[in-house]
Structure formats: C-alpha cells, structure tokens
Amino acid sequence: MANDQGHLMIKTALHAGRIMIENGSEIARVSDTIRRIAANAGYPDSKVYVTITGIMMSVSGEDNAQIEPVTTRSIDLEKITRVNDLSRHFADQKITLAEFDQRLTDLDQHPRYFPLWLQLISAGVLSGSLEVVFRGNYPDFWVTCLIGLIGWGIFYGVNQLAKVRFLSEFLAAAGIGVLAILAVKYHLGTSADDIIIGSVMPLVPGVPLTNAVRDILAGDLVSGVARGMEALMSAIAIGSGIAMILQAM
C-alpha cells in the first residue's frame, strides 16, 4: 500500500510540474511545488531535477526514478495559479492525493482559454496603447489597434495549423509589416515605423525572456540558457518578418 502511495505521489507531483512548465512557470517555482507536494504526502526526502524539457524525480523507498517529458510550451498563467491553489488545498488536507491527481487531469484535459474574439480585442488595444506609450503618436492609435488585431489573428491561425511558434511569429510579423506600409501609403496612418512597433508588441516573448533571467539568477543555468535561446529565436523570427517586408517594399 505504501508503495502504491509513493507511486501516486510521484505521478501527481510530476503531473503538476509538467503543467506548470508547459504554461510558462519558472523552474524554481516548479521545483518548490513538487517538493512541497512530496513533503505534504509524507516524503520529505524527495530528489527532483527540473528542466524545461523534462522532470526527473525519486524518493527513498522507491526502486527507480521517474521521468516526465515536457513536449509543448505556451503561456497560461491561470493554469499555473490553479496548480498552486490545488497544492495549497492538498497541504491544508482539503483534498486527498487521489483527488489532487484527478483535478490535475481535468485541468489538463479541459483547459479554459479566453475566446478568440477577446484575444483579438485585447491584442488590438495593447498594440494601440503601447504605440502611444512608446512613440506618442496619437493619430495612429486606431490603425495600430486594427493591425495589431489582424497580426494576432494571423499568429493564432498559423499556430493552429502548423503548431510551429516561430513560423507563426514570422508570418504574423510579415503581415503586420505589409499592413503598416499599406496603411501609410493610403493615408490611413502617418508612420509605418510607429505602427509596426506597436503592432508587434503582443508577439514579443516577454514572459520567456523574464523567466530566462530569473532561472539564471536562481542558478538553473541549463533552463535559463534554453529559455533565453527560445526567446531569442522568437525575437529573430519577428525581426526577420519585419525586415523582409521593409526590404521588399
């Protein structure tokens, strides 16, 4: 029975850690959450090794370490918060370990996303607002909102079809560049540069870059460098899309 409890604890802890990494959590938070789950389940001497591509965990009394691969990564801070809330409920003995695991499964299988129309509106408002903040160009506010909205739509659509984030970012940035230049050409905007700067902001990998710095400062050098390279690749994809259009047009 104790062996079964140990297997269930490791399964639950690895499940929680994988969900957190997949949705943008920093490595230190993941490691801390896994260790707390193990300690609250009666295994205070757990050993955990976490990277952004996989988690390894073992505890005394178990024959083998177990590994949980991480194959996808996105940004969903609500999922991270819900995993933390479940961990606290387990620590307070409001739910059992089996209930904890079942709720994690439900969270994984039935994710709650903001509807596409709300994502588009949010991307548009963010684009226009940041264009004003960074460039102070009030006349181009509305056209920047519209182009930022369309750019996020391109990113979302390509990502759904190809499942390659860098390709989605490249094509979305290229689309933004074309629309910005056309907007100025037909006198719908005054500065293509200002419109582009605002419109690409929803695509900028701010969370991965922040987590890369936090991981490096926390001593998680492998994950920090990997996240930094991921953020750099996103920045290159966005910059290449814009540069190609500016060169061509």
Side-chain angles (χ1 to χ4, degrees):
M1 183 64 69
N3 194 45
D4 291 340
Q5 179 73 5
H7 280 295
L8 179 59
M9 183 280 297
I10 293 177
K11 176 176 177 288
T12 303
L14 291 176
H15 196 175
R18 176 177 60 78
I19 292 175
M20 294 179 71
I21 294 176
E22 285 180 344
N23 292 281
S25 178
E26 65 272 23
I27 298 302
R29 181 188 294 270
V30 176
S31 298
D32 181 66
T33 299
I34 292 176
R35 289 191 178 96
R36 287 178 183 273
I37 292 172
N40 291 325
Y43 296 89
D45 56 347
S46 62
K47 304 295 187 295
V48 183
Y49 179 70
V50 183
T51 70
I52 65 170
T53 56
I55 310 170
M56 180 183 295
M57 182 179 186
S58 67
V59 294
S60 298
E62 297 293 328
D63 295 333
N64 300 303
Q66 294 190 28
I67 299 174
E68 182 77 12
V70 180
T71 57
T72 62
R73 284 177 296 279
S74 62
I75 303 298
D76 190 340
L77 301 184
E78 182 182 0
K79 275 191 174 182
I80 298 172
T81 300
R82 291 182 66 185
V83 171
N84 283 331
D85 288 342
L86 288 173
S87 177
R88 294 187 185 98
H89 290 164
F90 176 62
D92 296 336
Q93 299 183 346
K94 294 180 180 179
I95 58 175
T96 65
L97 187 61
E99 290 173 335
F100 190 0
D101 182 57
Q102 182 58 49
R103 294 192 185 185
L104 288 173
T105 301
D106 293 340
L107 176 61
D108 211 12
Q109 294 178 350
H110 304 95
R112 297 188 301 176
Y113 293 112
F114 290 110
L116 178 58
W117 65 267
L118 185 57
Q119 294 183 43
L120 294 174
I121 292 175
S122 300
V125 172
L126 177 66
S127 298
S129 301
L130 292 180
E131 185 269 339
V132 171
V133 169
F134 292 142
R135 309 296 292 182
N137 187 346
Y138 290 93
D140 287 343
F141 173 80
W142 290 110
V143 68
T144 304
C145 287
L146 178 60
I147 293 176
L149 182 152
I150 296 173
W152 183 261
I154 296 172
F155 169 78
Y156 182 90
V158 175
N159 203 42
Q160 290 295 109
L161 293 174
K163 303 294 184 182
V164 179
R165 180 180 179 87
F166 304 125
L167 176 63
S168 304
E169 291 166 337
F170 175 81
L171 294 178
I176 287 171
V178 171
L179 292 173
I181 292 173
L182 291 177
V184 173
K185 180 178 179 180
Y186 291 103
H187 308 292
L188 299 175
T190 61
S191 173
D193 291 344
D194 293 354
I195 295 171
I196 289 172
I197 289 172
S199 299
V200 300
M201 284 301 157
L203 305 176
V204 173
V207 173
L209 182 59
T210 301
N211 284 343
V213 175
R214 294 185 65 174
D215 287 344
I216 291 174
L217 293 178
D220 297 306
L221 301 181
V222 173
S223 296
V225 172
R227 285 189 191 273
M229 287 301 299
E230 189 175 35
L232 178 62
M233 289 297 295
S234 291
I236 290 173
I238 295 170
S240 298
I242 296 296
M244 181 186 72
I245 297 303
L246 293 177
Q247 183 70 25
M249 300 183 67

